[in-house]
Amino acid sequence: MDLPKDMVAASATPLILAILNNADSYGYDIIAQVKGLSDGEMQWADGMLYPIMHRLEKKELITSYWGQSETGRKRKYYQITSIGQESLISLTNNWRKLNDMLQNLVGENNV
Amino acid sequence: MFDLNEQVNQWFNTLKNARAIDEQNIDELKDHLFSEIEAQIALGKSQEEAFFIATALLGDQQQLKQEFIKNKQKLFKLCQQQEDASFDELLLKQEEKQQKGLSKMLIGNAIIWASAMIGTALLVKGHDNSQSITMLLVALWFASTYLFGDMKKVAKAECQYFRKVLGFQKT
């Protein structure tokens, strides 16, 4: 799966929101989950995630709090907000619609 | 001997100087880097190897800085696009210009009041109230000088405020 840059950017928000909708998490774990879900095919440049997280926080789709790692290090956790949950629903619907459109146009035989 | 903490701190030193990345961002990125290093060591890598893999995965510092800048306000971006130092220089020059302009106005103000006083003194010469009129003019001159002095202070404070907001206060 070799996703172009703009598709990676567009899919980042719903993926992050969906992960946080399952449970609170932190940057490293979110990246690990994405890698795992895509069987290692979707690779984000790790550092790029954080500015995205901060933008989502600014838009109040997620909030953050400081906790600790198992080894006692300061760790920033993220939590989805109700606005974030609403956004996740509409984003997921959009992706589904787009996917349906493509499937209908191309036809399952050709894909 | 490879000192992991020392290496990590050094790696972050270049980011610390970037105004777009604050202390909390650094803490968050540090946690990320150490998490990756721990994962690599668990896979059997040495500390040194783990460090190089983890920093490579995190991304190049310059690129990281650019991504963080994207989150900032327009004015901040504008400044970052200029060389930081040259923008600060521009601000300082502007301050100097403002102060010089105000100094000139102060002198002009003094000249106007002086001529007003001389003129009035000549006009009211011999009049009973001539002394009180002159005294009144002197008082007014002081008041206007005081106001100009205040304007200079305000202008200076304004410039300092901008420098502080843009993070130039360190120099």
Side-chain angles (χ1 to χ4, degrees), chain A residues 48 50 54-55 75 78, chain B residues 27-28 31-32 38 67 71:
Chain A
M48 304 307 137
Y50 293 97
H54 301 160
R55 281 199 282 278
R75 177 166 282 172
Y78 293 94
Chain B
D27 281 344
E28 192 177 25
D31 174 44
H32 180 102
E38 282 162 6
E67 287 297 320
N71 283 359

Side-chain angles (χ1 to χ4, degrees), chain B residues 35-171:
Chain B
S35 299
E36 185 64 55
I37 289 169
E38 282 162 6
Q40 292 296 334
I41 288 173
L43 288 173
K45 298 279 192 307
S46 73
Q47 280 200 346
E48 197 170 356
E49 285 169 326
F51 170 76
F52 285 115
I53 294 170
T55 46
L57 283 172
L58 193 53
D60 157 53
Q61 283 117 315
Q62 203 53 39
Q63 206 184 351
L64 214 54
K65 233 164 62 176
Q66 290 304 321
E67 287 297 320
F68 273 92
I69 287 171
K70 279 186 195 164
N71 283 359
K72 293 287 172 181
Q73 303 296 328
K74 262 191 191 149
L75 187 61
F76 191 96
K77 285 183 204 162
L78 199 76
C79 273
Q80 289 282 335
Q81 277 163 15
Q82 309 266 346
E83 277 295 299
D84 285 349
S86 78
F87 200 83
D88 190 28
E89 214 174 286
L90 209 73
L91 268 175
L92 283 173
K93 258 190 204 156
Q94 182 62 26
E95 182 186 345
E96 205 187 301
K97 242 195 255 171
Q98 235 173 13
Q99 293 294 319
K100 265 190 193 161
L102 282 167
S103 293
K104 266 188 205 161
M105 278 165 79
L106 205 63
I107 295 168
N109 179 58
I111 293 171
I112 291 169
W113 278 104
S115 0
M117 274 184 268
I118 294 168
T120 319
L122 288 173
L123 271 174
V124 297
K125 204 175 169 192
H127 193 280
D128 287 348
N129 290 334
S130 65
Q131 253 188 341
S132 15
I133 289 171
T134 314
M135 286 310 284
L136 180 71
L137 282 172
V138 170
L140 283 171
W141 171 53
F142 271 119
S144 90
T145 306
Y146 177 76
L147 286 177
F148 268 108
D150 245 22
M151 267 169 77
K152 273 182 90 165
K153 264 189 236 159
V154 168
K156 206 178 180 96
E158 195 178 57
C159 187
Q160 267 168 6
Y161 171 75
F162 271 118
R163 293 186 67 226
K164 198 176 158 191
V165 166
L166 299 171
F168 290 131
Q169 213 60 316
K170 292 167 201 158
T171 43

Side-chain angles (χ1 to χ4, degrees), chain A residues 5 8 15-16 19 22 26 34 45 84-85 103 111:
Chain A
K5 219 175 159 191
V8 172
L15 282 173
I16 292 166
I19 287 168
N22 290 337
Y26 55 97
V34 170
Q85 283 172 327
Q103 293 293 338
V111 182

Side-chain angles (χ1 to χ4, degrees), chain B residues 8-22:
Chain B
V8 170
N9 284 334
Q10 262 186 27
W11 195 88
F12 276 106
N13 267 342
T14 43
L15 282 182
K16 270 186 188 156
N17 295 330
R19 276 179 267 275
I21 306 178
D22 64 22

